[in-house]
Structures are given as C-alpha cells and as structure tokens.
PDB file of all heavy atoms in Angstrom:
ATOM      1  N   THR A1173     103.390  99.198  92.644  1.00 85.00           N
ATOM      2  CA  THR A1173     104.028  99.662  93.881  1.00 85.00           C
ATOM      3  C   THR A1173     105.150 100.669  93.660  1.00 85.00           C
ATOM      4  O   THR A1173     105.595 101.307  94.615  1.00 85.00           O
ATOM      5  CB  THR A1173     104.625  98.468  94.666  1.00 85.00           C
ATOM      6  OG1 THR A1173     105.703  97.902  93.908  1.00 85.00           O
ATOM      7  CG2 THR A1173     103.579  97.410  94.953  1.00 85.00           C
ATOM      8  N   GLY A1174     105.611 100.748  92.421  1.00 85.00           N
ATOM      9  CA  GLY A1174     106.724 101.651  92.135  1.00 85.00           C
ATOM     10  C   GLY A1174     108.068 101.077  92.548  1.00 85.00           C
ATOM     11  O   GLY A1174     109.086 101.748  92.503  1.00 85.00           O
ATOM     12  N   ARG A1175     108.061  99.810  92.951  1.00 86.00           N
ATOM     13  CA  ARG A1175     109.295  99.162  93.400  1.00 86.00           C
ATOM     14  C   ARG A1175     109.403  97.759  92.810  1.00 86.00           C
ATOM     15  O   ARG A1175     108.412  97.101  92.558  1.00 86.00           O
ATOM     16  CB  ARG A1175     109.305  99.030  94.913  1.00 86.00           C
ATOM     17  CG  ARG A1175     109.426 100.327  95.658  1.00 86.00           C
ATOM     18  CD  ARG A1175     109.800 100.046  97.094  1.00 86.00           C
ATOM     19  NE  ARG A1175     110.020 101.060  98.049  1.00 86.00           N
ATOM     20  CZ  ARG A1175     110.056 102.357  97.948  1.00 86.00           C
ATOM     21  NH1 ARG A1175     109.859 102.904  96.812  1.00 86.00           N
ATOM     22  NH2 ARG A1175     110.283 103.159  98.949  1.00 86.00           N
ATOM     23  N   ALA A1176     110.635  97.336  92.675  1.00 89.00           N
ATOM     24  CA  ALA A1176     110.927  95.960  92.277  1.00 89.00           C
ATOM     25  C   ALA A1176     111.676  95.326  93.444  1.00 89.00           C
ATOM     26  O   ALA A1176     112.829  95.652  93.689  1.00 89.00           O
ATOM     27  CB  ALA A1176     111.769  95.936  91.016  1.00 89.00           C
ATOM     28  N   VAL A1177     110.995  94.464  94.182  1.00 93.00           N
ATOM     29  CA  VAL A1177     111.560  93.881  95.398  1.00 93.00           C
ATOM     30  C   VAL A1177     111.565  92.362  95.274  1.00 93.00           C
ATOM     31  O   VAL A1177     110.553  91.763  94.907  1.00 93.00           O
ATOM     32  CB  VAL A1177     110.743  94.304  96.644  1.00 93.00           C
ATOM     33  CG1 VAL A1177     111.256  93.624  97.897  1.00 93.00           C
ATOM     34  CG2 VAL A1177     110.771  95.816  96.794  1.00 93.00           C
ATOM     35  N   SER A1178     112.699  91.763  95.605  1.00 94.00           N
ATOM     36  CA  SER A1178     112.824  90.311  95.621  1.00 94.00           C
ATOM     37  C   SER A1178     113.075  89.884  97.062  1.00 94.00           C
ATOM     38  O   SER A1178     114.034  90.328  97.688  1.00 94.00           O
ATOM     39  CB  SER A1178     113.985  89.878  94.724  1.00 94.00           C
ATOM     40  OG  SER A1178     114.119  88.478  94.741  1.00 94.00           O
ATOM     41  N   VAL A1179     112.212  89.029  97.579  1.00 96.00           N
ATOM     42  CA  VAL A1179     112.310  88.558  98.965  1.00 96.00           C
ATOM     43  C   VAL A1179     112.621  87.064  98.933  1.00 96.00           C
ATOM     44  O   VAL A1179     111.921  86.294  98.274  1.00 96.00           O
ATOM     45  CB  VAL A1179     110.999  88.818  99.736  1.00 96.00           C
ATOM     46  CG1 VAL A1179     111.078  88.250 101.141  1.00 96.00           C
ATOM     47  CG2 VAL A1179     110.693  90.302  99.759  1.00 96.00           C
ATOM     48  N   LEU A1180     113.659  86.679  99.647  1.00 95.00           N
ATOM     49  CA  LEU A1180     114.060  85.275  99.669  1.00 95.00           C
ATOM     50  C   LEU A1180     113.631  84.621 100.978  1.00 95.00           C
ATOM     51  O   LEU A1180     114.141  84.955 102.044  1.00 95.00           O
ATOM     52  CB  LEU A1180     115.582  85.169  99.517  1.00 95.00           C
ATOM     53  CG  LEU A1180     116.171  85.796  98.262  1.00 95.00           C
ATOM     54  CD1 LEU A1180     117.688  85.664  98.263  1.00 95.00           C
ATOM     55  CD2 LEU A1180     115.582  85.175  97.010  1.00 95.00           C
ATOM     56  N   LEU A1181     112.666  83.717 100.886  1.00 95.00           N
ATOM     57  CA  LEU A1181     112.226  82.902 102.013  1.00 95.00           C
ATOM     58  C   LEU A1181     112.430  81.442 101.633  1.00 95.00           C
ATOM     59  O   LEU A1181     112.613  81.118 100.460  1.00 95.00           O
ATOM     60  CB  LEU A1181     110.757  83.158 102.347  1.00 95.00           C
ATOM     61  CG  LEU A1181     110.363  84.572 102.756  1.00 95.00           C
ATOM     62  CD1 LEU A1181     108.895  84.613 103.154  1.00 95.00           C
ATOM     63  CD2 LEU A1181     111.220  85.088 103.876  1.00 95.00           C
ATOM     64  N   LEU A1182     112.381  80.568 102.620  1.00 94.00           N
ATOM     65  CA  LEU A1182     112.631  79.152 102.394  1.00 94.00           C
ATOM     66  C   LEU A1182     111.357  78.349 102.623  1.00 94.00           C
ATOM     67  O   LEU A1182     110.757  78.448 103.708  1.00 94.00           O
ATOM     68  CB  LEU A1182     113.720  78.668 103.360  1.00 94.00           C
ATOM     69  CG  LEU A1182     114.072  77.191 103.296  1.00 94.00           C
ATOM     70  CD1 LEU A1182     114.783  76.872 101.990  1.00 94.00           C
ATOM     71  CD2 LEU A1182     114.963  76.821 104.470  1.00 94.00           C
ATOM     72  N   PRO A1183     110.935  77.551 101.613  1.00 95.00           N
ATOM     73  CA  PRO A1183     109.828  76.632 101.875  1.00 95.00           C
ATOM     74  C   PRO A1183     110.285  75.655 102.965  1.00 95.00           C
ATOM     75  O   PRO A1183     111.306  74.994 102.811  1.00 95.00           O
ATOM     76  CB  PRO A1183     109.620  75.901 100.547  1.00 95.00           C
ATOM     77  CG  PRO A1183     110.421  76.633  99.535  1.00 95.00           C
ATOM     78  CD  PRO A1183     111.469  77.400 100.267  1.00 95.00           C
ATOM     79  N   TRP A1184     109.561  75.594 104.075  1.00 95.00           N
ATOM     80  CA  TRP A1184     110.023  74.823 105.226  1.00 95.00           C
ATOM     81  C   TRP A1184     109.328  73.475 105.338  1.00 95.00           C
ATOM     82  O   TRP A1184     109.916  72.491 105.752  1.00 95.00           O
ATOM     83  CB  TRP A1184     109.818  75.654 106.483  1.00 95.00           C
ATOM     84  CG  TRP A1184     110.511  75.089 107.669  1.00 95.00           C
ATOM     85  CD1 TRP A1184     109.923  74.462 108.738  1.00 95.00           C
ATOM     86  CD2 TRP A1184     111.915  75.064 107.919  1.00 95.00           C
ATOM     87  NE1 TRP A1184     110.882  74.064 109.631  1.00 95.00           N
ATOM     88  CE2 TRP A1184     112.130  74.428 109.145  1.00 95.00           C
ATOM     89  CE3 TRP A1184     113.023  75.527 107.217  1.00 95.00           C
ATOM     90  CZ2 TRP A1184     113.377  74.236 109.700  1.00 95.00           C
ATOM     91  CZ3 TRP A1184     114.270  75.348 107.770  1.00 95.00           C
ATOM     92  CH2 TRP A1184     114.440  74.707 108.991  1.00 95.00           C
ATOM     93  N   SER A1185     108.052  73.454 105.010  1.00 94.00           N
ATOM     94  CA  SER A1185     107.268  72.222 105.091  1.00 94.00           C
ATOM     95  C   SER A1185     106.108  72.342 104.112  1.00 94.00           C
ATOM     96  O   SER A1185     106.037  73.301 103.345  1.00 94.00           O
ATOM     97  CB  SER A1185     106.740  72.009 106.519  1.00 94.00           C
ATOM     98  OG  SER A1185     105.739  72.968 106.817  1.00 94.00           O
ATOM     99  N   ALA A1186     105.200  71.391 104.179  1.00 91.00           N
ATOM    100  CA  ALA A1186     104.048  71.414 103.271  1.00 91.00           C
ATOM    101  C   ALA A1186     103.128  72.602 103.533  1.00 91.00           C
ATOM    102  O   ALA A1186     102.330  72.975 102.671  1.00 91.00           O
ATOM    103  CB  ALA A1186     103.260  70.113 103.402  1.00 91.00           C
ATOM    104  N   HIS A1187     103.262  73.228 104.723  1.00 93.00           N
ATOM    105  CA  HIS A1187     102.360  74.327 105.081  1.00 93.00           C
ATOM    106  C   HIS A1187     103.068  75.519 105.701  1.00 93.00           C
ATOM    107  O   HIS A1187     102.421  76.324 106.381  1.00 93.00           O
ATOM    108  CB  HIS A1187     101.277  73.820 106.041  1.00 93.00           C
ATOM    109  CG  HIS A1187     100.467  72.710 105.474  1.00 93.00           C
ATOM    110  ND1 HIS A1187      99.539  72.889 104.478  1.00 93.00           N
ATOM    111  CD2 HIS A1187     100.485  71.373 105.730  1.00 93.00           C
ATOM    112  CE1 HIS A1187      99.000  71.720 104.154  1.00 93.00           C
ATOM    113  NE2 HIS A1187      99.560  70.790 104.900  1.00 93.00           N
ATOM    114  N   ALA A1188     104.370  75.643 105.495  1.00 95.00           N
ATOM    115  CA  ALA A1188     105.084  76.750 106.145  1.00 95.00           C
ATOM    116  C   ALA A1188     106.300  77.188 105.331  1.00 95.00           C
ATOM    117  O   ALA A1188     106.904  76.403 104.605  1.00 95.00           O
ATOM    118  CB  ALA A1188     105.529  76.348 107.552  1.00 95.00           C
ATOM    119  N   VAL A1189     106.616  78.469 105.488  1.00 95.00           N
ATOM    120  CA  VAL A1189     107.863  79.023 104.967  1.00 95.00           C
ATOM    121  C   VAL A1189     108.606  79.657 106.133  1.00 95.00           C
ATOM    122  O   VAL A1189     108.009  80.020 107.148  1.00 95.00           O
ATOM    123  CB  VAL A1189     107.642  80.062 103.831  1.00 95.00           C
ATOM    124  CG1 VAL A1189     106.936  79.435 102.648  1.00 95.00           C
ATOM    125  CG2 VAL A1189     106.882  81.266 104.315  1.00 95.00           C
ATOM    126  N   ARG A1190     109.923  79.774 105.975  1.00 97.00           N
ATOM    127  CA  ARG A1190     110.787  80.277 107.046  1.00 97.00           C
ATOM    128  C   ARG A1190     111.467  81.552 106.583  1.00 97.00           C
ATOM    129  O   ARG A1190     112.035  81.610 105.498  1.00 97.00           O
ATOM    130  CB  ARG A1190     111.818  79.207 107.377  1.00 97.00           C
ATOM    131  CG  ARG A1190     112.768  79.545 108.485  1.00 97.00           C
ATOM    132  CD  ARG A1190     113.641  78.309 108.735  1.00 97.00           C
ATOM    133  NE  ARG A1190     114.588  78.537 109.789  1.00 97.00           N
ATOM    134  CZ  ARG A1190     115.898  78.577 109.607  1.00 97.00           C
ATOM    135  NH1 ARG A1190     116.402  78.405 108.409  1.00 97.00           N
ATOM    136  NH2 ARG A1190     116.706  78.784 110.622  1.00 97.00           N
ATOM    137  N   ALA A1191     111.394  82.571 107.433  1.00 97.00           N
ATOM    138  CA  ALA A1191     112.069  83.843 107.181  1.00 97.00           C
ATOM    139  C   ALA A1191     113.069  84.070 108.306  1.00 97.00           C
ATOM    140  O   ALA A1191     112.747  83.872 109.468  1.00 97.00           O
ATOM    141  CB  ALA A1191     111.053  84.981 107.140  1.00 97.00           C
ATOM    142  N   VAL A1192     114.282  84.485 107.946  1.00 96.00           N
ATOM    143  CA  VAL A1192     115.335  84.682 108.938  1.00 96.00           C
ATOM    144  C   VAL A1192     115.992  86.040 108.712  1.00 96.00           C
ATOM    145  O   VAL A1192     116.316  86.388 107.584  1.00 96.00           O
ATOM    146  CB  VAL A1192     116.405  83.566 108.852  1.00 96.00           C
ATOM    147  CG1 VAL A1192     117.504  83.793 109.874  1.00 96.00           C
ATOM    148  CG2 VAL A1192     115.773  82.198 109.044  1.00 96.00           C
ATOM    149  N   TRP A1193     116.212  86.768 109.794  1.00 95.00           N
ATOM    150  CA  TRP A1193     116.869  88.073 109.725  1.00 95.00           C
ATOM    151  C   TRP A1193     118.320  87.949 110.143  1.00 95.00           C
ATOM    152  O   TRP A1193     118.665  87.129 110.986  1.00 95.00           O
ATOM    153  CB  TRP A1193     116.159  89.084 110.636  1.00 95.00           C
ATOM    154  CG  TRP A1193     115.029  89.708 109.919  1.00 95.00           C
ATOM    155  CD1 TRP A1193     114.969  90.975 109.414  1.00 95.00           C
ATOM    156  CD2 TRP A1193     113.793  89.091 109.562  1.00 95.00           C
ATOM    157  NE1 TRP A1193     113.789  91.163 108.763  1.00 95.00           N
ATOM    158  CE2 TRP A1193     113.042  90.026 108.836  1.00 95.00           C
ATOM    159  CE3 TRP A1193     113.256  87.830 109.763  1.00 95.00           C
ATOM    160  CZ2 TRP A1193     111.787  89.745 108.322  1.00 95.00           C
ATOM    161  CZ3 TRP A1193     112.016  87.543 109.256  1.00 95.00           C
ATOM    162  CH2 TRP A1193     111.290  88.502 108.553  1.00 95.00           C
ATOM    163  N   HIS A1194     119.165  88.784 109.547  1.00 91.00           N
ATOM    164  CA  HIS A1194     120.573  88.864 109.912  1.00 91.00           C
ATOM    165  C   HIS A1194     121.004  90.315 109.807  1.00 91.00           C
ATOM    166  O   HIS A1194     120.236  91.184 109.388  1.00 91.00           O
ATOM    167  CB  HIS A1194     121.440  87.939 109.056  1.00 91.00           C
ATOM    168  CG  HIS A1194     121.288  88.175 107.587  1.00 91.00           C
ATOM    169  ND1 HIS A1194     121.920  89.209 106.927  1.00 91.00           N
ATOM    170  CD2 HIS A1194     120.548  87.527 106.663  1.00 91.00           C
ATOM    171  CE1 HIS A1194     121.601  89.178 105.653  1.00 91.00           C
ATOM    172  NE2 HIS A1194     120.756  88.174 105.467  1.00 91.00           N
ATOM    173  N   ARG A1195     122.237  90.586 110.148  1.00 89.00           N
ATOM    174  CA  ARG A1195     122.728  91.960 110.273  1.00 89.00           C
ATOM    175  C   ARG A1195     122.615  92.780 108.995  1.00 89.00           C
ATOM    176  O   ARG A1195     122.634  93.994 109.041  1.00 89.00           O
ATOM    177  CB  ARG A1195     124.149  91.974 110.806  1.00 89.00           C
ATOM    178  CG  ARG A1195     125.172  91.429 109.848  1.00 89.00           C
ATOM    179  CD  ARG A1195     126.592  91.506 110.382  1.00 89.00           C
ATOM    180  NE  ARG A1195     127.033  92.872 110.514  1.00 89.00           N
ATOM    181  CZ  ARG A1195     127.344  93.475 111.677  1.00 89.00           C
ATOM    182  NH1 ARG A1195     127.286  92.794 112.790  1.00 89.00           N
ATOM    183  NH2 ARG A1195     127.736  94.712 111.710  1.00 89.00           N
ATOM    184  N   ASP A1196     122.506  92.138 107.843  1.00 89.00           N
ATOM    185  CA  ASP A1196     122.426  92.871 106.583  1.00 89.00           C
ATOM    186  C   ASP A1196     120.997  93.176 106.153  1.00 89.00           C
ATOM    187  O   ASP A1196     120.782  93.714 105.067  1.00 89.00           O
ATOM    188  CB  ASP A1196     123.144  92.093 105.477  1.00 89.00           C
ATOM    189  CG  ASP A1196     124.633  91.973 105.745  1.00 89.00           C
ATOM    190  OD1 ASP A1196     125.211  92.923 106.316  1.00 89.00           O
ATOM    191  OD2 ASP A1196     125.213  90.927 105.408  1.00 89.00           O
ATOM    192  N   VAL A1197     120.008  92.821 106.977  1.00 93.00           N
ATOM    193  CA  VAL A1197     118.610  93.110 106.663  1.00 93.00           C
ATOM    194  C   VAL A1197     118.150  94.231 107.587  1.00 93.00           C
ATOM    195  O   VAL A1197     118.019  94.043 108.791  1.00 93.00           O
ATOM    196  CB  VAL A1197     117.718  91.856 106.835  1.00 93.00           C
ATOM    197  CG1 VAL A1197     116.274  92.189 106.486  1.00 93.00           C
ATOM    198  CG2 VAL A1197     118.235  90.705 105.980  1.00 93.00           C
ATOM    199  N   SER A1198     117.910  95.387 107.010  1.00 94.00           N
ATOM    200  CA  SER A1198     117.565  96.573 107.791  1.00 94.00           C
ATOM    201  C   SER A1198     116.066  96.652 108.076  1.00 94.00           C
ATOM    202  O   SER A1198     115.266  95.867 107.551  1.00 94.00           O
ATOM    203  CB  SER A1198     117.981  97.830 107.012  1.00 94.00           C
ATOM    204  OG  SER A1198     117.169  97.968 105.851  1.00 94.00           O
ATOM    205  N   ALA A1199     115.702  97.634 108.876  1.00 96.00           N
ATOM    206  CA  ALA A1199     114.281  97.895 109.139  1.00 96.00           C
ATOM    207  C   ALA A1199     113.577  98.285 107.836  1.00 96.00           C
ATOM    208  O   ALA A1199     112.436  97.887 107.593  1.00 96.00           O
ATOM    209  CB  ALA A1199     114.131  98.998 110.186  1.00 96.00           C
ATOM    210  N   TYR A1200     114.273  99.031 106.995  1.00 96.00           N
ATOM    211  CA  TYR A1200     113.711  99.418 105.692  1.00 96.00           C
ATOM    212  C   TYR A1200     113.493  98.178 104.817  1.00 96.00           C
ATOM    213  O   TYR A1200     112.438  98.034 104.192  1.00 96.00           O
ATOM    214  CB  TYR A1200     114.634 100.418 104.995  1.00 96.00           C
ATOM    215  CG  TYR A1200     114.156 100.846 103.637  1.00 96.00           C
ATOM    216  CD1 TYR A1200     113.044 101.676 103.507  1.00 96.00           C
ATOM    217  CD2 TYR A1200     114.806 100.424 102.485  1.00 96.00           C
ATOM    218  CE1 TYR A1200     112.584 102.066 102.259  1.00 96.00           C
ATOM    219  CE2 TYR A1200     114.359 100.814 101.235  1.00 96.00           C
ATOM    220  CZ  TYR A1200     113.248 101.634 101.121  1.00 96.00           C
ATOM    221  OH  TYR A1200     112.795 102.023  99.883  1.00 96.00           O
ATOM    222  N   ASP A1201     114.479  97.273 104.791  1.00 96.00           N
ATOM    223  CA  ASP A1201     114.336  96.031 104.036  1.00 96.00           C
ATOM    224  C   ASP A1201     113.146  95.227 104.557  1.00 96.00           C
ATOM    225  O   ASP A1201     112.401  94.615 103.782  1.00 96.00           O
ATOM    226  CB  ASP A1201     115.599  95.172 104.154  1.00 96.00           C
ATOM    227  CG  ASP A1201     116.818  95.819 103.545  1.00 96.00           C
ATOM    228  OD1 ASP A1201     116.683  96.628 102.603  1.00 96.00           O
ATOM    229  OD2 ASP A1201     117.939  95.516 104.027  1.00 96.00           O
ATOM    230  N   THR A1202     112.978  95.228 105.865  1.00 96.00           N
ATOM    231  CA  THR A1202     111.869  94.501 106.481  1.00 96.00           C
ATOM    232  C   THR A1202     110.536  95.086 106.035  1.00 96.00           C
ATOM    233  O   THR A1202     109.597  94.349 105.720  1.00 96.00           O
ATOM    234  CB  THR A1202     111.998  94.544 108.020  1.00 96.00           C
ATOM    235  OG1 THR A1202     113.250  93.948 108.382  1.00 96.00           O
ATOM    236  CG2 THR A1202     110.864  93.810 108.698  1.00 96.00           C
ATOM    237  N   GLU A1203     110.470  96.398 105.984  1.00 95.00           N
ATOM    238  CA  GLU A1203     109.244  97.065 105.507  1.00 95.00           C
ATOM    239  C   GLU A1203     108.966  96.696 104.052  1.00 95.00           C
ATOM    240  O   GLU A1203     107.826  96.428 103.668  1.00 95.00           O
ATOM    241  CB  GLU A1203     109.383  98.584 105.673  1.00 95.00           C
ATOM    242  CG  GLU A1203     108.116  99.349 105.456  1.00 95.00           C
ATOM    243  CD  GLU A1203     107.022  99.038 106.464  1.00 95.00           C
ATOM    244  OE1 GLU A1203     107.323  98.700 107.616  1.00 95.00           O
ATOM    245  OE2 GLU A1203     105.833  99.117 106.081  1.00 95.00           O
ATOM    246  N   LEU A1204     110.007  96.691 103.227  1.00 94.00           N
ATOM    247  CA  LEU A1204     109.845  96.298 101.822  1.00 94.00           C
ATOM    248  C   LEU A1204     109.354  94.853 101.718  1.00 94.00           C
ATOM    249  O   LEU A1204     108.498  94.546 100.884  1.00 94.00           O
ATOM    250  CB  LEU A1204     111.162  96.457 101.065  1.00 94.00           C
ATOM    251  CG  LEU A1204     111.645  97.877 100.799  1.00 94.00           C
ATOM    252  CD1 LEU A1204     113.021  97.860 100.140  1.00 94.00           C
ATOM    253  CD2 LEU A1204     110.654  98.655  99.953  1.00 94.00           C
ATOM    254  N   ALA A1205     109.876  93.967 102.560  1.00 95.00           N
ATOM    255  CA  ALA A1205     109.453  92.567 102.548  1.00 95.00           C
ATOM    256  C   ALA A1205     107.991  92.433 102.955  1.00 95.00           C
ATOM    257  O   ALA A1205     107.234  91.658 102.352  1.00 95.00           O
ATOM    258  CB  ALA A1205     110.348  91.732 103.464  1.00 95.00           C
ATOM    259  N   LYS A1206     107.570  93.191 103.973  1.00 94.00           N
ATOM    260  CA  LYS A1206     106.155  93.177 104.374  1.00 94.00           C
ATOM    261  C   LYS A1206     105.279  93.643 103.227  1.00 94.00           C
ATOM    262  O   LYS A1206     104.250  93.034 102.932  1.00 94.00           O
ATOM    263  CB  LYS A1206     105.919  94.090 105.588  1.00 94.00           C
ATOM    264  CG  LYS A1206     106.343  93.522 106.894  1.00 94.00           C
ATOM    265  CD  LYS A1206     105.905  94.330 108.108  1.00 94.00           C
ATOM    266  CE  LYS A1206     105.716  95.788 107.916  1.00 94.00           C
ATOM    267  NZ  LYS A1206     105.448  96.545 109.140  1.00 94.00           N
ATOM    268  N   ASN A1207     105.676  94.729 102.582  1.00 92.00           N
ATOM    269  CA  ASN A1207     104.900  95.255 101.463  1.00 92.00           C
ATOM    270  C   ASN A1207     104.831  94.270 100.310  1.00 92.00           C
ATOM    271  O   ASN A1207     103.792  94.125  99.658  1.00 92.00           O
ATOM    272  CB  ASN A1207     105.477  96.591 100.992  1.00 92.00           C
ATOM    273  CG  ASN A1207     105.327  97.677 102.031  1.00 92.00           C
ATOM    274  OD1 ASN A1207     104.540  97.574 102.968  1.00 92.00           O
ATOM    275  ND2 ASN A1207     106.111  98.736 101.890  1.00 92.00           N
TER     276      ASN A1207
END
C-alpha cells in the first residue's frame, strides 16, 4: 500500500468490534482506516 497505518479498534464481544471517532480523527484518517 505504500503506507504503514495502525488502526485502534476495541474487541466488543465474541462477534463484534467497536470503532469510535473523536475530534482528532480526520476524514483523511478515516480513509486510511478504511483502506
């Protein structure tokens, strides 16, 4: 990908993870997380 990206999500249950956005996560960061 030409990038080194670390995405922090939380294991929420046996079948789910939780992602939360806050003011320090930009649209660009969101795109990197999707990728």
Side-chain angles (χ1 to χ4, degrees):
T1173 66
R1175 291 195 178 355
V1177 176
S1178 180
V1179 176
L1180 302 178
L1181 299 184
L1182 178 69
W1184 192 253
S1185 70
H1187 301 288
V1189 299
R1190 182 176 180 246
V1192 179
W1193 274 254
H1194 55 80
R1195 69 178 293 116
D1196 295 326
V1197 181
S1198 68
Y1200 179 71
D1201 296 332
T1202 301
E1203 190 64 30
L1204 290 175
K1206 282 189 332 187
N1207 294 343

